Amino acid sequence: MARLTGVPWGRLFGYLRPHLKLFSVSVVALLISTGFGLLLPLVIGSLVGEVVTAGDTSGLDRLLLLLVGITLVLAVFGFVQTWTLGVIGERIVARLRAQVFDRLVTLELDFYVRRRVGELISRLSSDVTQVRTMLTQTLTSLLSSLLGLTGSIVILFLLSPGLLLVVLALAPTIVLIAVIFARPLRRLSTRVQDAIATSTTTAEEALSGIRVVKSFGREEWERHRYSGDLRDVVAMATRLVTWRGLFGAMMTVLGFGTLIILLWFTGHQVIEGTITIGALTSFLLYGITIGTSLSSIAGLYGQFQEGAGAVARVFELIDERPTIAEVAAPEPVGEVLGRITFEHVSFGYGAERVVLRDIDLDIEPGEVLAVVGPSGAGKTTFCNLIPRLWDASEGRVLVDGRDVRRLRLRGLREAVSLVPQEATLFGGTVGENIRYGRLEATQAEIVAAAQAANAHEFIEALPDGYDTVVGDRGTRLSGGQRQRVAIARAILKDAPILILDEATSSLANQSERLGQEALARRMRGRSTVVVAHRLSTIRAADRIAVLDDGWLLEQGTHDELLAADGLYAHLWRLQASERPTTSERASTPEREVAPETVAS
């Protein structure tokens, strides 16, 4: 066990500390069962040498009863050890997973830009399980093997001191082999876990985007992609198994080589009459114990090396620090009036990709500001800076004259309701998804929010009304229905600042009108930022800001911007030429069809 470097043992054993009493019971059970196990060769040796050879039937009965007693003790304390370790292991897994998940939900968007969800799920599941196995089962199995090995060596020494020299002669060889195999085992184990994480990511992406997969007929491509990842897993795992097998084989040779030497040594002593046949039997059984203990230690050592990689990956996530953090003494947010100020704000995803450039803008309390511009102009990023989903690279974002970086983060985000373009629903019921806006809301408040979002009618028509399960990511609802549930969620939150990022883009014409009406009611008295691609939906905004390539090019009312004949006027004319005529709109049916309706 010379080179288990890189494993923070003090920190790792900290997870055992809350369970020391139970773990102590397990260790005591282990010591008792190992101790009684070491008695077996002596009893069997006596059985062969003193009872069978001498023909003592009463002695035979006594020894057999002793064997039965030892067996029962081994069974009882083996159960105690297995049960206590199982309970401790599950508690450690739960704590580790909770810590990893707690860290993941506190990390900001830039972390998820760099990482893939499938990789994180792999760490949360398989890596944590491997840490649990190493900390409980592998650790105690190693302790058991070491006790068995040590006990056998001590007993052999007491029976025949010359045999100790045979065992000690093998010690340097064992240490050398362990050192040689340590690094490859750990490196390959980490690569296997990385390959598993990659395959998990591929599967997660394909299954979460199954509609796109099927609509493009890419089932075969996804199967090929996942099979390729699995081939990488198998290739890496095969190399790991090869090294593990070689390590085990060499330790087996050493272990059973010891047994052969013992057999040769004690066999000569029996022939010379120095020891009895019973002692020979005991020697051989202890030799077998030594051989199997060495082989077991080899395998367990390999598992420790493999577990070291999992430990590093799990602790890497737990130690990840949010890039958007509160100051040492954040200011309480208090009542928010809704003045939002951008002071020379610039933002970039690294130096190579600048998204916003020197934005200077002031939004009055209760004002409705529409943000428009071509794709990639920085509209969504502009919105994300207000609740600090990102931090400005330069300049300041102020709410009621206070830098958002100095405010308590949770309070700031509670003051902002965000309705994104892609409505994200969770896999519970419709009512639970609306309640997400305010967890303590009553059923009556949930219904009122749905009515305000013009969603109550379609929800009541669902099979179980508000208790209808929406499916993974809301797949049992249509796009427009999901969007209106998201609007209801934002209405229930009732925050003083409202951000609508293409909030009605998923709605059909009639549904869009209902959604716009619902949102218009909520905008009254609230500072509202509306990102819109369809310019016809924001004509009534108090002010319109036009972004292009991160620059704030124009701002003013709809009429003022048309009169200025700049980028806004150009975009307006382009969209006007693409709008259907009145007769075309009249001939287009207004329908929102849920997926299960189509299937039926």
Side-chain angles (χ1 to χ4, degrees):
M1 306 303 295
R3 290 190 62 185
L4 286 177
T5 57
V7 179
W9 291 109
R11 182 177 183 181
L12 200 56
F13 284 126
Y15 288 90
L16 281 175
R17 197 167 293 121
H19 316 290
L20 278 182
K21 290 184 179 179
L22 204 56
F23 189 69
S24 299
V25 172
S26 176
V27 171
V28 170
L30 170 66
L31 293 173
I32 293 174
S33 59
T34 302
F36 274 86
L38 287 172
L39 290 177
L40 281 175
L42 287 175
V43 174
I44 294 172
S46 298
L47 189 68
V48 172
E50 299 177 19
V51 177
V52 175
T53 305
D56 182 1
T57 56
S58 61
L60 174 63
D61 293 339
R62 287 193 302 271
L63 286 175
L64 288 178
L65 285 174
L66 181 58
L67 283 176
V68 171
I70 291 174
T71 303
L72 289 176
V73 169
L74 290 175
V76 169
F77 285 97
F79 167 78
V80 171
Q81 180 188 345
T82 302
W83 184 84
T84 51
L85 286 179
V87 171
I88 292 170
E90 292 306 318
R91 291 175 181 175
I92 288 174
V93 162
R95 183 182 172 193
L96 273 171
R97 285 184 176 152
Q99 283 189 329
V100 173
F101 186 77
D102 288 349
R103 176 57 62 203
L104 289 176
V105 295
T106 61
L107 296 174
E108 302 300 334
L109 296 183
D110 60 338
F111 174 80
Y112 292 94
V113 170
R114 295 182 278 113
R115 300 295 183 96
R116 300 165 78 183
V117 173
E119 175 197 351
L120 301 177
I121 295 298
S122 177
R123 294 198 185 190
L124 193 59
S125 55
S126 62
D127 282 0
V128 170
T129 301
Q130 196 167 354
V131 173
R132 183 274 307 269
T133 301
M134 185 179 78
L135 196 56
T136 55
Q137 297 172 3
T138 306
L139 182 64
T140 51
S141 297
L142 180 64
L143 181 59
S144 176
S145 296
L146 288 172
L147 287 173
L149 177 64
T150 305
S152 297
I153 291 173
V154 170
I155 293 172
L156 277 178
F157 173 71
L158 294 175
L159 293 175
S160 176
L163 295 177
L164 181 62
L165 298 175
V166 176
V167 177
L168 292 180
L170 295 173
T173 307
I174 294 171
V175 172
L176 178 62
I177 291 174
V179 169
I180 292 173
F181 278 84
R183 185 170 296 176
L185 284 171
R186 183 184 302 175
R187 184 180 65 249
L188 287 172
S189 175
T190 301
R191 289 182 180 177
V192 167
Q193 292 300 316
D194 287 340
I196 291 173
T198 300
S199 66
T200 303
T201 298
T202 300
E204 190 272 337
E205 288 176 345
L207 295 177
S208 62
I210 193 66
R211 287 186 177 181
V212 177
V213 172
K214 289 191 171 296
S215 65
F216 281 86
R218 291 293 180 264
E219 294 91 342
E220 186 60 36
W221 166 252
E222 292 299 337
R223 282 197 293 267
H224 174 75
R225 198 158 68 104
Y226 188 59
S227 296
D229 289 342
L230 292 181
R231 282 194 295 272
D232 291 340
V233 172
V234 171
M236 283 294 143
T238 300
R239 292 178 63 185
L240 176 60
V241 168
T242 301
W243 277 89
R244 190 189 297 160
L246 287 172
F247 187 31
M250 296 191 72
M251 297 301 284
T252 300
V253 168
L254 287 173
F256 286 94
T258 304
L259 178 61
I260 294 169
I261 295 172
L262 287 173
L263 180 59
W264 176 84
F265 188 81
T266 54
H268 276 278
Q269 288 185 319
V270 170
I271 294 172
E272 294 168 0
T274 316
I275 62 173
T276 65
I277 189 68
L280 172 62
T281 303
S282 297
F283 287 159
L284 292 179
L285 290 175
Y286 283 119
I288 291 172
T289 302
I290 291 173
T292 53
S293 295
L294 286 172
S295 180
S296 175
I297 290 170
L300 294 170
Y301 179 70
Q303 290 178 30
F304 265 111
Q305 291 299 330
E306 295 166 30
V311 170
R313 287 157 59 91
V314 169
F315 285 159
E316 179 190 356
L317 280 185
I318 293 175
D319 293 338
E320 187 82 34
R321 287 292 172 261
T323 53
I324 296 179
E326 292 182 334
V327 294
E331 301 174 15
V333 176
E335 183 180 359
V336 174
L337 300 178
R339 177 183 293 278
I340 305 169
T341 306
F342 283 66
E343 289 185 351
H344 301 288
V345 170
S346 296
F347 176 82
Y349 300 99
E352 69 285 351
R353 188 185 166 200
V354 179
V355 180
L356 294 176
R357 309 169 192 271
D358 197 29
I359 302 295
D360 230 11
L361 187 66
D362 193 60
I363 305 170
E364 297 291 335
E367 182 182 10
V368 176
L369 175 77
V371 182
V372 303
S375 297
K379 303 184 292 296
T380 296
T381 302
F382 176 90
C383 294
N384 287 339
L385 293 178
I386 298 172
R388 283 195 76 195
L389 298 180
W390 298 95
D391 266 341
S393 306
E394 298 177 18
R396 298 192 303 165
V397 178
L398 310 174
V399 171
D400 293 344
R402 296 183 294 171
D403 192 330
V404 294
R405 283 174 289 205
R406 304 201 61 82
L407 298 177
R408 190 174 300 280
L409 194 56
R410 182 173 179 179
L412 171 65
R413 290 176 179 173
E414 285 178 348
V416 179
S417 282
L418 172 65
V419 184
Q421 179 178 2
E422 288 292 330
T424 300
L425 300 187
F426 301 98
T429 66
V430 174
E432 288 169 346
N433 273 281
I434 297 175
R435 183 180 274 114
Y436 203 79
R438 184 155 49 87
L439 297 178
E440 68 278 9
T442 64
Q443 184 63 26
E445 290 171 327
I446 291 171
V447 172
Q451 289 171 334
N454 291 324
H456 178 70
E457 185 177 346
F458 91 77
I459 294 174
E460 284 287 280
L462 294 173
D464 297 312
Y466 285 84
D467 293 325
T468 301
V469 176
V470 301
D472 183 41
R473 306 192 186 198
T475 52
R476 296 184 64 186
L477 302 180
S478 71
Q481 289 171 338
R482 290 197 297 272
Q483 197 75 55
R484 277 186 279 170
V485 169
I487 291 172
R489 183 166 60 197
I491 288 173
L492 183 65
K493 187 176 183 182
D494 198 27
I497 297 174
L498 183 60
I499 298 176
L500 308 173
D501 189 357
E502 299 274 14
T504 59
S505 62
S506 298
L507 305 181
N509 291 339
Q510 177 65 17
S511 297
E512 181 180 25
R513 183 182 62 78
L514 295 174
Q516 290 286 357
E517 288 175 358
L519 291 172
R521 291 192 293 270
R522 304 314 297 176
M523 289 179 191
R524 298 190 189 110
R526 286 175 173 77
S527 301
T528 305
V529 178
V530 183
V531 174
H533 175 71
R534 284 181 279 188
L535 303 185
S536 58
T537 63
I538 46 91
R539 290 182 60 175
D542 297 319
R543 191 158 39 117
I544 300 170
V546 185
L547 295 178
D548 186 28
D549 192 30
W551 297 102
L552 177 59
L553 296 187
E554 305 172 288
Q555 55 178 313
T557 65
H558 171 74
D559 292 334
E560 290 170 347
L561 292 176
L562 286 183
D565 198 24
L567 177 59
Y568 180 82
H570 173 68
L571 294 174
W572 177 265
R573 286 192 294 269
L574 282 177
Q575 291 193 11
S577 65
E578 296 170 357
R579 290 183 201 122
T581 63
T582 304
S583 60
E584 288 174 330
R585 286 196 299 270
S587 65
T588 302
E590 299 292 344
R591 294 191 302 163
E592 281 189 278
V593 184
E596 65 272 16
T597 307
V598 176
S600 62

PDB file of all heavy atoms in Angstrom, residues 115-135:
ATOM      1  N   ARG A 115     -19.106  22.481 -19.307  1.00  0.00           N
ATOM      2  CA  ARG A 115     -19.334  21.070 -18.973  1.00  0.00           C
ATOM      3  C   ARG A 115     -20.605  20.561 -19.625  1.00  0.00           C
ATOM      4  O   ARG A 115     -21.531  21.327 -19.879  1.00  0.00           O
ATOM      5  CB  ARG A 115     -19.443  20.896 -17.451  1.00  0.00           C
ATOM      6  CG  ARG A 115     -18.203  21.324 -16.677  1.00  0.00           C
ATOM      7  CD  ARG A 115     -17.002  20.450 -17.015  1.00  0.00           C
ATOM      8  NE  ARG A 115     -15.843  20.817 -16.222  1.00  0.00           N
ATOM      9  CZ  ARG A 115     -15.480  20.210 -15.101  1.00  0.00           C
ATOM     10  NH1 ARG A 115     -16.171  19.183 -14.666  1.00  0.00           N
ATOM     11  NH2 ARG A 115     -14.422  20.610 -14.426  1.00  0.00           N
ATOM     12  N   ARG A 116     -20.641  19.253 -19.828  1.00  0.00           N
ATOM     13  CA  ARG A 116     -21.822  18.628 -20.411  1.00  0.00           C
ATOM     14  C   ARG A 116     -22.588  17.907 -19.296  1.00  0.00           C
ATOM     15  O   ARG A 116     -21.997  17.314 -18.391  1.00  0.00           O
ATOM     16  CB  ARG A 116     -21.410  17.647 -21.505  1.00  0.00           C
ATOM     17  CG  ARG A 116     -20.641  18.326 -22.636  1.00  0.00           C
ATOM     18  CD  ARG A 116     -19.935  17.323 -23.520  1.00  0.00           C
ATOM     19  NE  ARG A 116     -20.844  16.681 -24.454  1.00  0.00           N
ATOM     20  CZ  ARG A 116     -20.454  15.716 -25.295  1.00  0.00           C
ATOM     21  NH1 ARG A 116     -19.213  15.291 -25.288  1.00  0.00           N
ATOM     22  NH2 ARG A 116     -21.321  15.177 -26.119  1.00  0.00           N
ATOM     23  N   VAL A 117     -23.909  17.942 -19.407  1.00  0.00           N
ATOM     24  CA  VAL A 117     -24.753  17.417 -18.343  1.00  0.00           C
ATOM     25  C   VAL A 117     -24.512  15.928 -18.129  1.00  0.00           C
ATOM     26  O   VAL A 117     -24.484  15.438 -16.993  1.00  0.00           O
ATOM     27  CB  VAL A 117     -26.238  17.698 -18.659  1.00  0.00           C
ATOM     28  CG1 VAL A 117     -27.143  17.007 -17.640  1.00  0.00           C
ATOM     29  CG2 VAL A 117     -26.503  19.201 -18.657  1.00  0.00           C
ATOM     30  N   GLY A 118     -24.337  15.168 -19.218  1.00  0.00           N
ATOM     31  CA  GLY A 118     -24.120  13.728 -19.082  1.00  0.00           C
ATOM     32  C   GLY A 118     -22.891  13.402 -18.253  1.00  0.00           C
ATOM     33  O   GLY A 118     -22.897  12.463 -17.443  1.00  0.00           O
ATOM     34  N   GLU A 119     -21.828  14.190 -18.422  1.00  0.00           N
ATOM     35  CA  GLU A 119     -20.609  13.977 -17.635  1.00  0.00           C
ATOM     36  C   GLU A 119     -20.885  14.217 -16.153  1.00  0.00           C
ATOM     37  O   GLU A 119     -20.434  13.456 -15.289  1.00  0.00           O
ATOM     38  CB  GLU A 119     -19.518  14.933 -18.118  1.00  0.00           C
ATOM     39  CG  GLU A 119     -18.243  14.876 -17.293  1.00  0.00           C
ATOM     40  CD  GLU A 119     -17.342  16.080 -17.511  1.00  0.00           C
ATOM     41  OE1 GLU A 119     -17.621  16.874 -18.420  1.00  0.00           O
ATOM     42  OE2 GLU A 119     -16.373  16.216 -16.746  1.00  0.00           O
ATOM     43  N   LEU A 120     -21.661  15.255 -15.857  1.00  0.00           N
ATOM     44  CA  LEU A 120     -21.965  15.571 -14.460  1.00  0.00           C
ATOM     45  C   LEU A 120     -22.838  14.486 -13.838  1.00  0.00           C
ATOM     46  O   LEU A 120     -22.655  14.112 -12.674  1.00  0.00           O
ATOM     47  CB  LEU A 120     -22.663  16.931 -14.377  1.00  0.00           C
ATOM     48  CG  LEU A 120     -21.860  18.102 -14.939  1.00  0.00           C
ATOM     49  CD1 LEU A 120     -22.688  19.386 -14.873  1.00  0.00           C
ATOM     50  CD2 LEU A 120     -20.552  18.279 -14.195  1.00  0.00           C
ATOM     51  N   ILE A 121     -23.792  13.953 -14.606  1.00  0.00           N
ATOM     52  CA  ILE A 121     -24.642  12.874 -14.110  1.00  0.00           C
ATOM     53  C   ILE A 121     -23.799  11.642 -13.815  1.00  0.00           C
ATOM     54  O   ILE A 121     -24.012  10.938 -12.824  1.00  0.00           O
ATOM     55  CB  ILE A 121     -25.740  12.531 -15.133  1.00  0.00           C
ATOM     56  CG1 ILE A 121     -26.692  13.727 -15.314  1.00  0.00           C
ATOM     57  CG2 ILE A 121     -26.523  11.300 -14.695  1.00  0.00           C
ATOM     58  CD1 ILE A 121     -27.426  14.124 -14.067  1.00  0.00           C
ATOM     59  N   SER A 122     -22.798  11.370 -14.663  1.00  0.00           N
ATOM     60  CA  SER A 122     -21.916  10.225 -14.442  1.00  0.00           C
ATOM     61  C   SER A 122     -21.151  10.380 -13.131  1.00  0.00           C
ATOM     62  O   SER A 122     -21.019   9.429 -12.355  1.00  0.00           O
ATOM     63  CB  SER A 122     -20.938  10.079 -15.613  1.00  0.00           C
ATOM     64  OG  SER A 122     -20.028   9.028 -15.388  1.00  0.00           O
ATOM     65  N   ARG A 123     -20.652  11.571 -12.872  1.00  0.00           N
ATOM     66  CA  ARG A 123     -19.936  11.798 -11.617  1.00  0.00           C
ATOM     67  C   ARG A 123     -20.868  11.669 -10.420  1.00  0.00           C
ATOM     68  O   ARG A 123     -20.485  11.149  -9.374  1.00  0.00           O
ATOM     69  CB  ARG A 123     -19.283  13.182 -11.624  1.00  0.00           C
ATOM     70  CG  ARG A 123     -18.187  13.327 -12.649  1.00  0.00           C
ATOM     71  CD  ARG A 123     -17.301  14.507 -12.338  1.00  0.00           C
ATOM     72  NE  ARG A 123     -16.314  14.735 -13.385  1.00  0.00           N
ATOM     73  CZ  ARG A 123     -15.301  15.579 -13.270  1.00  0.00           C
ATOM     74  NH1 ARG A 123     -15.152  16.267 -12.163  1.00  0.00           N
ATOM     75  NH2 ARG A 123     -14.445  15.750 -14.259  1.00  0.00           N
ATOM     76  N   LEU A 124     -22.085  12.138 -10.596  1.00  0.00           N
ATOM     77  CA  LEU A 124     -23.053  12.103  -9.504  1.00  0.00           C
ATOM     78  C   LEU A 124     -23.473  10.676  -9.174  1.00  0.00           C
ATOM     79  O   LEU A 124     -23.851  10.382  -8.043  1.00  0.00           O
ATOM     80  CB  LEU A 124     -24.281  12.932  -9.885  1.00  0.00           C
ATOM     81  CG  LEU A 124     -25.289  13.304  -8.801  1.00  0.00           C
ATOM     82  CD1 LEU A 124     -24.639  14.106  -7.700  1.00  0.00           C
ATOM     83  CD2 LEU A 124     -26.448  14.070  -9.412  1.00  0.00           C
ATOM     84  N   SER A 125     -23.393   9.777 -10.148  1.00  0.00           N
ATOM     85  CA  SER A 125     -23.855   8.410  -9.920  1.00  0.00           C
ATOM     86  C   SER A 125     -22.696   7.440  -9.757  1.00  0.00           C
ATOM     87  O   SER A 125     -22.381   6.999  -8.642  1.00  0.00           O
ATOM     88  CB  SER A 125     -24.769   7.973 -11.070  1.00  0.00           C
ATOM     89  OG  SER A 125     -24.107   8.116 -12.321  1.00  0.00           O
ATOM     90  N   SER A 126     -22.008   7.112 -10.849  1.00  0.00           N
ATOM     91  CA  SER A 126     -21.017   6.031 -10.792  1.00  0.00           C
ATOM     92  C   SER A 126     -19.788   6.408  -9.963  1.00  0.00           C
ATOM     93  O   SER A 126     -19.277   5.589  -9.192  1.00  0.00           O
ATOM     94  CB  SER A 126     -20.590   5.640 -12.212  1.00  0.00           C
ATOM     95  OG  SER A 126     -19.972   6.715 -12.879  1.00  0.00           O
ATOM     96  N   ASP A 127     -19.300   7.628 -10.088  1.00  0.00           N
ATOM     97  CA  ASP A 127     -18.107   8.019  -9.327  1.00  0.00           C
ATOM     98  C   ASP A 127     -18.371   8.007  -7.828  1.00  0.00           C
ATOM     99  O   ASP A 127     -17.551   7.535  -7.042  1.00  0.00           O
ATOM    100  CB  ASP A 127     -17.630   9.412  -9.752  1.00  0.00           C
ATOM    101  CG  ASP A 127     -16.875   9.373 -11.080  1.00  0.00           C
ATOM    102  OD1 ASP A 127     -16.738   8.282 -11.631  1.00  0.00           O
ATOM    103  OD2 ASP A 127     -16.447  10.429 -11.545  1.00  0.00           O
ATOM    104  N   VAL A 128     -19.529   8.526  -7.417  1.00  0.00           N
ATOM    105  CA  VAL A 128     -19.863   8.549  -5.994  1.00  0.00           C
ATOM    106  C   VAL A 128     -20.007   7.126  -5.460  1.00  0.00           C
ATOM    107  O   VAL A 128     -19.558   6.812  -4.356  1.00  0.00           O
ATOM    108  CB  VAL A 128     -21.149   9.360  -5.755  1.00  0.00           C
ATOM    109  CG1 VAL A 128     -21.647   9.180  -4.326  1.00  0.00           C
ATOM    110  CG2 VAL A 128     -20.898  10.841  -6.026  1.00  0.00           C
ATOM    111  N   THR A 129     -20.618   6.249  -6.250  1.00  0.00           N
ATOM    112  CA  THR A 129     -20.755   4.849  -5.836  1.00  0.00           C
ATOM    113  C   THR A 129     -19.393   4.205  -5.660  1.00  0.00           C
ATOM    114  O   THR A 129     -19.168   3.429  -4.719  1.00  0.00           O
ATOM    115  CB  THR A 129     -21.580   4.079  -6.872  1.00  0.00           C
ATOM    116  OG1 THR A 129     -22.872   4.685  -6.991  1.00  0.00           O
ATOM    117  CG2 THR A 129     -21.761   2.622  -6.452  1.00  0.00           C
ATOM    118  N   GLN A 130     -18.468   4.526  -6.552  1.00  0.00           N
ATOM    119  CA  GLN A 130     -17.127   3.953  -6.451  1.00  0.00           C
ATOM    120  C   GLN A 130     -16.412   4.449  -5.199  1.00  0.00           C
ATOM    121  O   GLN A 130     -15.679   3.697  -4.540  1.00  0.00           O
ATOM    122  CB  GLN A 130     -16.313   4.306  -7.698  1.00  0.00           C
ATOM    123  CG  GLN A 130     -15.064   3.449  -7.868  1.00  0.00           C
ATOM    124  CD  GLN A 130     -14.450   3.606  -9.246  1.00  0.00           C
ATOM    125  OE1 GLN A 130     -14.995   4.250 -10.118  1.00  0.00           O
ATOM    126  NE2 GLN A 130     -13.292   3.019  -9.431  1.00  0.00           N
ATOM    127  N   VAL A 131     -16.620   5.712  -4.834  1.00  0.00           N
ATOM    128  CA  VAL A 131     -16.027   6.242  -3.606  1.00  0.00           C
ATOM    129  C   VAL A 131     -16.595   5.502  -2.398  1.00  0.00           C
ATOM    130  O   VAL A 131     -15.870   5.130  -1.468  1.00  0.00           O
ATOM    131  CB  VAL A 131     -16.301   7.757  -3.476  1.00  0.00           C
ATOM    132  CG1 VAL A 131     -15.837   8.264  -2.123  1.00  0.00           C
ATOM    133  CG2 VAL A 131     -15.580   8.517  -4.584  1.00  0.00           C
ATOM    134  N   ARG A 132     -17.917   5.285  -2.400  1.00  0.00           N
ATOM    135  CA  ARG A 132     -18.555   4.556  -1.311  1.00  0.00           C
ATOM    136  C   ARG A 132     -17.955   3.160  -1.173  1.00  0.00           C
ATOM    137  O   ARG A 132     -17.622   2.705  -0.074  1.00  0.00           O
ATOM    138  CB  ARG A 132     -20.055   4.463  -1.572  1.00  0.00           C
ATOM    139  CG  ARG A 132     -20.895   3.784  -0.467  1.00  0.00           C
ATOM    140  CD  ARG A 132     -20.972   2.266  -0.575  1.00  0.00           C
ATOM    141  NE  ARG A 132     -21.408   1.806  -1.849  1.00  0.00           N
ATOM    142  CZ  ARG A 132     -22.684   1.576  -2.172  1.00  0.00           C
ATOM    143  NH1 ARG A 132     -23.617   1.763  -1.292  1.00  0.00           N
ATOM    144  NH2 ARG A 132     -22.986   1.109  -3.369  1.00  0.00           N
ATOM    145  N   THR A 133     -17.804   2.470  -2.297  1.00  0.00           N
ATOM    146  CA  THR A 133     -17.264   1.113  -2.276  1.00  0.00           C
ATOM    147  C   THR A 133     -15.852   1.102  -1.704  1.00  0.00           C
ATOM    148  O   THR A 133     -15.493   0.243  -0.892  1.00  0.00           O
ATOM    149  CB  THR A 133     -17.261   0.524  -3.697  1.00  0.00           C
ATOM    150  OG1 THR A 133     -18.599   0.515  -4.200  1.00  0.00           O
ATOM    151  CG2 THR A 133     -16.725  -0.890  -3.707  1.00  0.00           C
ATOM    152  N   MET A 134     -15.049   2.080  -2.110  1.00  0.00           N
ATOM    153  CA  MET A 134     -13.675   2.130  -1.637  1.00  0.00           C
ATOM    154  C   MET A 134     -13.611   2.417  -0.142  1.00  0.00           C
ATOM    155  O   MET A 134     -12.802   1.835   0.584  1.00  0.00           O
ATOM    156  CB  MET A 134     -12.893   3.201  -2.394  1.00  0.00           C
ATOM    157  CG  MET A 134     -11.409   3.232  -2.044  1.00  0.00           C
ATOM    158  SD  MET A 134     -10.479   4.467  -2.963  1.00  0.00           S
ATOM    159  CE  MET A 134     -10.927   5.946  -2.090  1.00  0.00           C
ATOM    160  N   LEU A 135     -14.506   3.288   0.332  1.00  0.00           N
ATOM    161  CA  LEU A 135     -14.429   3.740   1.716  1.00  0.00           C
ATOM    162  C   LEU A 135     -14.989   2.718   2.697  1.00  0.00           C
ATOM    163  O   LEU A 135     -14.624   2.726   3.870  1.00  0.00           O
ATOM    164  CB  LEU A 135     -15.187   5.063   1.862  1.00  0.00           C
ATOM    165  CG  LEU A 135     -14.925   5.897   3.112  1.00  0.00           C
ATOM    166  CD1 LEU A 135     -13.444   6.204   3.249  1.00  0.00           C
ATOM    167  CD2 LEU A 135     -15.733   7.183   3.059  1.00  0.00           C
TER     168      LEU A 135
END
